[in-house]
Amino acid sequence: MMIEPWASAEGAAKHLGMAKDSVYRWIEARKLPAHKITRLWKFKLSEADEWGRTGGADAHDGSTDKGGSQ
């Protein structure tokens, strides 16, 4: 049995194809599965994948940005 390594926020962002800042926003607003270890957020990429497959990435966070200026 292989143990899945922990990924950093940067690693999770790269895996999910988004900016690292978006990962932090999704932790809070959309409940992206993450584990705070001391002061750092760590991720199991399999949990993030499952979260995305079950619609977590589709959850509405109440933001009003509809593709306007960033």
Side-chain angles (χ1 to χ4, degrees):
M1 183 170 143
M2 187 172 196
I3 297 173
E4 180 180 0
W6 290 99
S8 65
E10 186 174 335
K14 184 175 182 177
H15 178 77
L16 295 169
M18 66 176 68
K20 187 168 69 169
D21 289 344
S22 296
V23 168
Y24 291 123
R25 283 194 300 273
W26 281 23
I27 291 169
E28 192 64 35
R30 297 185 176 143
K31 307 303 182 205
L32 175 65
H35 305 269
K36 195 158 193 180
I37 301 173
T38 63
R39 61 181 187 84
L40 302 174
W41 286 104
K42 296 293 183 175
F43 305 83
K44 294 288 186 176
L45 298 180
S46 63
E47 291 177 358
D49 288 341
E50 180 64 21
W51 170 81
R53 278 193 296 275
T54 59
D58 296 332
H60 180 64
D61 67 353
S63 70
T64 57
D65 184 14
K66 302 290 185 206
S69 64
Q70 293 179 348

